[in-house]
Amino acid sequence: MKKWVYLFDEVKEVEKIRGGDWDEVKGLVGGKGAGLLDMTRAGVPVPPFFTVTTEACNEFQKAGKFPAGMWAQELAALKMIEKATGKKFGDLKNPLLVSCRSGAKFSMPGMMDTVLNIGLTDETAAGMVELTGNPRFVYDAYRRLVEMFGTVVLGIQDEAFEEPLKEYKSRKGYKLDTEMTADDWKHMVSVFREVVKKHIGFDFPQDPFKQLELATEAVFKSWNGKRAVDYRNHEGIPHDLGTAVNIVTMVFGNMGDDSGTGVAFTRNPSTGDKKMMGDYLLNAQGEDVVAGIRNTDPIENLKNHMPEAYHQFMDITAKLEKHYRDIQDVEFTIERKKLWMLQTRVGKRTAKAAVKIAADMVNEGLITREEAVKRVTPEQVDALLHPQFNAEALKNADKAGTLFAKGVNASPGAAVGQAYFDADTAEKMAKEHKQDVIMVRPFTKPDDVHGMIAAKGVLTSEGGATSHAAVVARQFGIPCIVGASMIKINLETRIMSVDNKTVREGEWISVDGTTGNVFIGKVPMTAASLEEQTELMTLLKWADEICARKDLRVAPKGWPTRGLMVWANADYPRDARRARSYGAVGIGLCRTEHMFFEPERLPIVQRMILAETSEARTKALNELLPTQRKDFDGLFEAMDGYPVIIRLIDPPLHEFMPSEEALLEEVITMRVKGETAGLAEKEKLLKSIQGMHESNPMMGLRGVRLSIVMPEIVEMQVRAIFEAAADCVLRGIVVKPEVMIPLTGTVKELEWIQPRLIRIAAAVLAEKKIQKLDYKFGTMIEIPRAAVTAEEIAKHAEFFSFGTNDLTQMTFGYSRDDAERNFLVTYVEQGILPKNPFQTLDRDGVGRLMKMAIEDGRKTRPELEVGICGEHGGDPDSIEWCHMIGNNYVSCSPFRVPIARLAAAHVALKYAPKKSAKKTAAQKKKVVAKKAVKKAKAKTAKRK
Ligand code: PEP
Ligand code: MG
């Protein structure tokens, strides 16, 4: 007969059946059951109990009834509990009462059901009164049973019980439950029993065994209750695990002032401080503490109330923490001075506490550095680095109905500011009027960057996770929500609205980039900084040490055998400095075109673009050269000793020009009004811009194509790069420039442009008399054809960097700027795509192309340096893929560097070659052969 039930002293049997694996033990008897079994084994006082397995629950879900033999085993186990306690279930003189508690493999706090005080009936209650001499306690316990049974087992609404109690209390003039007398509670028992009868049509069962049977069934059923299912969906817990049911002898904390009950964490779960944190109540039952009906006492006070129980409790919890090597969340009850432990489980904690506890436990010798690193999630690091809204304040805002809209959570963090609807106003209000500003736009363009930088947060109604607004905001660590398509922004009236809620320009809003929620008004915030978070810095240092190990990846010759390095995308020296302080060891992408948008440079850039002769163009470029050189100089200096990848100009030229529509309107207005001054120039400019018009600019004249059609720009850029590098070398700075050619689709493009650029580099170095400089020329892989022909491309490219924003766009054929707004959200909701591929790499398509490109590229050039600089470089799931396929590094916005460092260490550990205890047959042979040689040598030595 299959064993469905395990007794408190059967931990060995459970372990045996689960092959000694504790995780498997938890799978069978649930986390709570496993904790109780383990505590019992360790001699911790746990009330006698038994556990019905998760397997029984799963059988119940299939058949709709208990599996054969289960109930008989439950009854047999109950007999053993009776023996251990000296009490008897249903006995009139000394009745045993039990609780029926859910307990799945993974803790799901409050999501499933529990029934306490099972075994009380009219008759046993009378017996209990005799026994305890405390009728108030007994009838209080009894009414709790009828109420819990009614709501949990019979499905009656809570209010059906709460209302008559409230009414009774007000009739009696009571404020608190503590004012209720024995007779009052006894009366409530009969009232509650009436409630049951009225709602269900039958009496509350007076058979204790029926109570137990129905309670067990109810806990099984609560596994598929809505709360539990939603929670599992959110937490990613599988739905087929089932819950165990723990039947535990009741112990009572409400037996007088020598009794009490409480909950505690062995460390502070909010700050991580190594100090017990808990609450208790004298003369109370379990749920009173959690429900907050009465003011609880801090756990330290127990020392004065019941010193013996307190010291025993401190001793036990210290041992439990040491045993489980993690913060414990415990429940206890003291019944007439005797301490009972009712639960121990790993405590849930905030991000801050997770980091502190992990670091402290390494220092205390409880866990290894690897374990500490594994215990903190990249999401927790993320949460620690951005200013956040106060959780309580968010709840209040939600309640107050100030939630305005929801969009794509493009850049995490919280921002509060006054909403302004264009970049110039946003900048002006921030700079001149010192306001906190949220820039709100339908979408952003490169010439909006100044407004974004000045803003605390950015909100757009269009665009997706890799839209301009999203990319730039992440890069600068600005909280940002994009694609909040329910918002209508009226740029005429300067009002934005969602249904009947409106926000006028200049009014306060709060933007939660972590969740994508926008609130009207100011939601209070808490700030964050990496440097101040010493434990996090330590943890990240350990993560780097893990990644730096030389033997973490088994790979062909030339491929990386250490973990991933983390580089950063940075355009300006100040970003590079931040990236370095956040732990980046290289710049993986400097988008040089951002430098062209600076207000004082843009007119020169426009002159250069509009130049009709090569001389005029060269003149404008010569004006740009010193500023570009200065930019690069600053970058190299900031990254002294580390590689810096500079990408040559990428976007289509029209992005640098005034908007065609605005100019057309201006020209028409001037014509209509008959204004002639300056009209001819404007008409000429309009004609030029119209001449540049492309129907599909993202697939048009940009990237390397632009370099071939108009090589003067990139020639100037390469000169600026190498002049800056040479100047830095002469100042003693270690410079490792890597020149990156964007949007390559065929090797012929590289064959055309690269030698010209190399010649310029060599000429500059010769002019500056630099003998040796460590530099590379390489390309972005962002067009599928480049990935497919990587073997040829690697003949010229010394490095590849996957531009997965464009590679995703081109592989799927989805516009990176419009897809989210138009259909991607629906695709994810409908399960057509598992996730937004612009946020998390699509391994099956884009990822496979990357893998192929790396393998083929390294056939030509085994040491080929490979990175990623698309937005995926900061996404933990995508980082895992980059590790698996052989990237050297990932590059992401400076603010995501710490997250990426941790994620890189996690995957390095996950895929590290296992030091197998079992040697392969070949290794065994080798060992035998070696031993034989040693023996033979020893023999010869002896003879000598
Ligand atoms: C990319 O395409 O992934 C990339 C990094 O380039 P950009 O986002 O500038 O097009
Ligand atoms: Mg690109």
Side-chain angles (χ1 to χ4, degrees):
M1 168 67 70
K2 184 157 178 94
K3 198 163 162 56
W4 305 108
V5 173
Y6 287 89
L7 259 178
F8 55 88
D9 59 358
E10 290 187 319
V11 65
K12 281 217 173 89
E13 280 79 348
V14 189
E15 280 182 331
K16 198 165 150 206
I17 214 155
R18 287 290 157 136
D21 183 322
W22 195 248
D23 200 51
E24 290 278 311
V25 168
K26 279 195 194 159
L28 185 62
V29 293
K32 180 177 291 197
L36 291 173
L37 284 166
D38 209 21
M39 284 200 288
T40 308
R41 165 162 59 189
V44 171
V46 172
F49 70 96
F50 62 83
T51 303
V52 187
T53 65
T54 54
E55 287 179 348
C57 174
N58 288 336
E59 287 301 311
F60 175 85
Q61 306 299 355
K62 271 187 240 154
K65 58 178 192 211
F66 292 158
M70 187 202 97
W71 181 241
Q73 288 180 26
E74 232 184 293
L75 294 178
L78 198 61
K79 283 260 165 305
M80 299 308 287
I81 293 192
E82 288 176 346
K83 214 168 145 197
T85 57
K87 300 179 180 185
K88 206 162 175 307
F89 199 56
D91 194 69
L92 303 189
K93 289 217 169 77
N94 189 13
L96 168 72
L97 304 188
V98 295
S99 62
C100 179
R101 296 161 186 263
S102 56
K105 176 173 180 178
F106 302 105
S107 107
M108 297 165 53
M111 297 301 138
M112 288 184 293
D113 290 329
T114 287
V115 184
L116 304 178
N117 304 339
I118 295 171
L120 275 175
T121 62
D122 289 354
E123 287 182 330
T124 57
M128 284 280 284
V129 172
E130 283 284 304
L131 188 74
T132 60
N134 189 345
R136 186 187 182 280
F137 149 72
V138 174
Y139 288 107
D140 181 15
Y142 191 11
R143 68 91 198 181
R144 285 176 197 252
L145 169 65
V146 182
E147 183 176 349
M148 265 194 226
F149 199 88
T151 52
V152 170
V153 180
L154 305 174
I156 303 168
Q157 296 289 315
D158 294 349
E159 299 82 57
F161 297 96
E162 283 163 7
E163 288 301 324
L165 177 58
K166 230 198 263 169
E167 209 175 279
Y168 184 82
K169 272 163 55 183
S170 88
R171 206 161 5 109
K172 288 269 181 177
Y174 301 157
K175 283 213 165 62
L176 301 170
D177 282 4
T178 42
E179 293 168 75
M180 297 279 283
T181 64
D183 282 343
D184 291 330
W185 283 133
K186 194 170 177 185
H187 174 71
M188 283 324 293
V189 169
S190 58
V191 172
F192 283 4
R193 287 185 55 186
E194 276 306 309
V195 171
V196 169
K197 195 156 182 197
K198 189 175 137 218
H199 281 80
I200 305 295
F202 58 81
D203 273 325
F204 167 77
Q206 289 295 314
D207 173 4
F209 292 94
K210 197 71 200 163
Q211 291 174 6
L212 183 63
E213 185 189 335
L214 292 176
T216 307
E217 196 178 307
V219 172
F220 278 166
K221 283 184 182 158
S222 70
W223 173 255
N224 280 329
K226 185 171 166 5
R227 256 182 309 156
V229 172
D230 289 349
Y231 183 84
R232 290 199 296 273
N233 282 337
H234 185 263
E235 296 290 303
I237 298 173
H239 293 292
D240 59 357
L241 299 177
T243 180
V245 179
N246 300 289
I247 308 295
V248 188
T249 305
M250 283 300 303
V251 285
F252 295 96
N254 51 345
M255 282 197 132
D257 282 344
D258 57 355
S259 304
T261 187
V263 292
F265 287 85
T266 52
R267 301 186 187 214
N268 187 316
S270 171
T271 61
D273 286 343
K274 197 178 178 225
K275 185 165 180 283
M276 170 79 68
M277 197 192 90
D279 297 295
Y280 76 100
L281 275 174
L282 285 185
N283 198 11
Q285 223 181 344
E287 73 270 19
D288 297 343
V289 178
V290 193
I293 330 170
R294 283 168 54 189
N295 284 338
T296 54
D297 268 327
I299 197 87
E300 304 83 81
N301 291 6
L302 189 63
K303 202 191 307 185
N304 308 325
H305 279 134
M306 277 181 262
E308 225 169 281
Y310 174 77
H311 291 299
Q312 191 190 1
F313 175 73
M314 293 305 281
D315 190 43
I316 288 172
T317 47
K319 280 191 187 131
L320 286 174
E321 198 189 79
K322 208 162 177 188
H323 177 65
Y324 290 110
R325 302 178 309 124
D326 208 342
I327 171 181
Q328 296 297 295
D329 164 2
V330 297
E331 284 178 22
F332 67 95
T333 284
I334 301 167
E335 184 184 273
R336 294 190 164 144
K337 290 197 174 145
K338 172 142 180 58
L339 172 71
W340 294 99
M341 298 301 292
L342 301 181
Q343 172 165 298
T344 190
R345 63 179 171 201
V346 169
K348 302 234 184 270
R349 64 208 84 177
T350 63
K352 186 170 163 43
V355 171
K356 173 147 178 62
I357 292 169
D360 283 354
M361 286 196 167
V362 171
N363 297 331
E364 291 161 29
L366 278 179
I367 58 173
T368 62
R369 290 179 175 190
E370 286 82 357
E371 280 175 292
V373 165
K374 275 199 261 183
R375 278 190 189 175
V376 176
T377 65
E379 292 74 24
Q380 285 171 326
V381 175
D382 192 14
L384 286 172
L385 291 177
H386 291 271
Q388 303 145 50
F389 287 122
N390 184 298
E392 198 57 31
L394 274 183
K395 257 194 235 153
N396 293 343
D398 232 352
K399 266 194 220 146
T402 51
L403 181 63
F404 180 58
K406 200 169 170 53
V408 178
N409 48 344
S411 176
V416 177
Q418 290 167 265
Y420 289 103
F421 296 175
D422 65 79
D424 291 341
T425 318
E427 188 185 41
K428 187 167 162 224
M429 291 304 174
K431 282 197 175 154
E432 292 173 23
H433 299 268
K434 307 280 176 252
Q435 289 185 0
D436 283 347
V437 161
I438 305 286
M439 190 175 111
V440 181
R441 292 290 298 163
F443 55 89
T444 67
K445 294 198 301 285
D447 57 6
D448 289 325
V449 170
H450 60 291
M452 297 179 70
I453 292 173
K456 296 277 178 223
V458 174
L459 168 64
T460 71
S461 55
E462 297 172 22
T466 56
S467 61
H468 177 266
V471 171
V472 174
R474 271 196 292 273
Q475 175 145 2
F476 293 113
I478 304 166
C480 173
I481 296 174
V482 295
S485 53
M486 64 280 275
I487 303 180
K488 305 267 169 303
I489 306 172
N490 188 331
L491 294 172
E492 294 291 313
T493 57
R494 313 301 274 184
I495 292 176
M496 63 170 165
S497 58
V498 176
D499 302 329
N500 53 6
K501 287 185 185 166
T502 55
V503 173
R504 288 173 186 281
E505 187 161 45
E507 284 182 354
W508 288 89
I509 57 169
S510 301
V511 167
D512 190 345
T514 312
T515 60
N517 288 338
V518 186
F519 297 90
I520 298 176
K522 297 187 208 178
V523 178
M525 283 200 303
T526 332
S529 116
L530 179 62
E531 286 83 357
E532 283 169 16
Q533 304 184 53
T534 42
E535 279 101 3
L536 179 56
M537 298 273 277
T538 308
L539 196 89
L540 291 172
K541 194 180 92 205
W542 294 337
D544 293 345
E545 282 167 13
I546 290 168
C547 281
R549 279 187 217 151
K550 293 272 187 281
D551 55 348
L552 276 174
R553 284 198 268 186
V554 182
K557 199 164 177 287
W559 290 48
T561 56
R562 51 154 288 157
L564 288 166
M565 287 180 282
V566 179
W567 296 10
N569 296 354
D571 300 344
Y572 301 99
R574 63 170 183 275
D575 306 331
R577 281 192 289 276
R578 176 174 293 125
R580 229 182 131 158
S581 75
Y582 275 30
V585 291
I587 297 296
L589 172 65
C590 164
R591 290 179 167 102
T592 47
E593 60 271 10
H594 282 166
M595 299 163 174
F596 289 172
F597 284 106
E598 304 265 314
E600 65 279 12
R601 301 185 195 179
L602 199 56
I604 312 174
V605 175
Q606 290 174 348
R607 237 193 303 127
M608 180 268 293
I609 294 169
L610 295 172
E612 280 165 7
T613 61
S614 185
E615 290 78 47
R617 176 159 299 134
T618 309
K619 187 167 171 286
L621 284 167
N622 283 345
E623 277 180 62
L624 286 172
L625 177 70
T627 45
Q628 280 261 283
R629 188 171 54 220
K630 195 155 158 264
D631 296 330
F632 300 142
D633 192 293
L635 269 186
F636 293 143
E637 189 172 321
M639 296 308 290
D640 187 359
Y642 291 126
V644 176
I645 295 189
I646 295 170
R647 179 179 75 183
L648 302 177
I649 190 167
D650 182 42
L653 291 181
H654 75 83
E655 286 198 12
F656 300 99
M657 305 306 288
S659 138
E660 186 184 330
E661 285 139 46
L663 195 60
L664 180 63
E665 206 180 308
E666 225 180 302
V667 166
I668 292 173
T669 314
M670 284 176 86
R671 281 185 195 147
V672 170
K673 286 188 176 167
E675 291 171 13
T676 47
L679 179 63
E681 290 82 43
K682 288 220 156 67
E683 283 175 334
K684 195 172 164 210
L685 180 61
L686 178 63
K687 209 165 158 222
S688 304
I689 294 173
Q690 283 170 333
M692 277 179 209
H693 180 86
E694 289 178 300
S695 305
N696 208 338
M698 285 305 264
M699 291 187 167
L701 182 62
R702 58 175 281 224
V704 66
R705 302 159 203 167
L706 184 61
S707 310
I708 290 170
V709 173
M710 209 183 274
E712 298 95 327
I713 307 175
V714 289
E715 284 169 1
M716 178 279 287
Q717 289 192 304
V718 170
R719 173 159 279 280
I721 293 170
F722 283 88
E723 284 183 358
D727 291 348
C728 285
V729 170
L730 295 173
R731 298 207 304 276
I733 294 164
V734 179
V735 192
K736 296 179 176 174
E738 302 192 12
V739 180
M740 180 152 77
I741 296 167
L743 225 71
T744 303
T746 153
V747 70
K748 292 280 179 204
E749 289 167 325
L750 291 188
E751 280 173 6
W752 196 95
I753 192 78
Q754 196 168 299
R756 289 164 200 252
L757 301 178
I758 292 177
R759 275 200 295 278
I760 294 172
V764 173
L765 296 180
E767 280 163 29
K768 300 262 183 182
K769 301 198 172 44
I770 302 291
Q771 306 287 339
K772 198 178 162 338
L773 183 74
D774 199 2
Y775 68 87
K776 288 190 177 91
F777 274 80
T779 184
M780 293 190 77
I781 303 287
E782 43 191 346
I783 290 192
R785 194 182 187 284
V788 173
T789 59
E791 203 170 334
E792 281 90 64
I793 290 192
K795 285 182 190 151
H796 296 273
E798 294 169 281
F799 67 87
F800 285 175
S801 176
F802 290 104
T804 43
N805 301 336
D806 274 315
L807 191 59
T808 302
Q809 166 167 266
M810 309 272 188
T811 304
F812 276 99
Y814 296 166
S815 159
R816 56 191 270 193
D817 296 310
D818 305 316
E820 273 110 334
R821 180 164 55 102
N822 289 337
F823 60 88
L824 217 48
V825 175
T826 312
Y827 266 36
V828 174
E829 271 169 14
Q830 295 298 318
I832 294 167
L833 289 174
K835 280 183 178 163
N836 178 346
F838 289 107
Q839 284 180 324
T840 300
L841 258 175
D842 152 54
R843 295 187 184 188
D844 296 342
V846 178
R848 213 182 281 183
L849 275 175
M850 292 166 70
K851 184 168 185 283
M852 188 173 94
I854 297 179
E855 283 166 3
D856 289 351
R858 288 201 174 123
K859 278 184 202 154
T860 307
R861 194 185 287 271
E863 271 93 17
L864 182 76
E865 175 188 278
V866 178
I868 179 173
C869 63
E871 290 307 297
H872 306 87
D875 167 65
D877 190 77
S878 312
I879 290 172
E880 174 170 351
W881 181 248
C882 290
H883 178 98
M884 290 163 71
I885 60 177
N887 269 39
N888 297 77
Y889 69 87
V890 293
S891 185
C892 55
S893 95
F895 290 94
R896 291 192 76 84
V897 165
I899 299 163
R901 286 162 70 194
L902 188 76
H906 282 186
V907 281
L909 289 170
K910 183 169 169 187
Y911 293 99
K914 299 261 173 308
K915 288 195 183 72
S916 165
K918 281 187 201 149
K919 293 203 161 70
T920 62
Q923 282 171 323
K924 268 189 204 155
K925 261 189 198 166
K926 244 188 186 172
V927 173
V928 173
K930 260 191 183 168
K931 273 190 186 159
V933 172
K934 222 175 162 186
K935 233 180 174 177
K937 273 189 184 164
K939 260 189 185 171
T940 346
K942 238 185 187 174
R943 259 187 250 128
K944 276 180 187 168

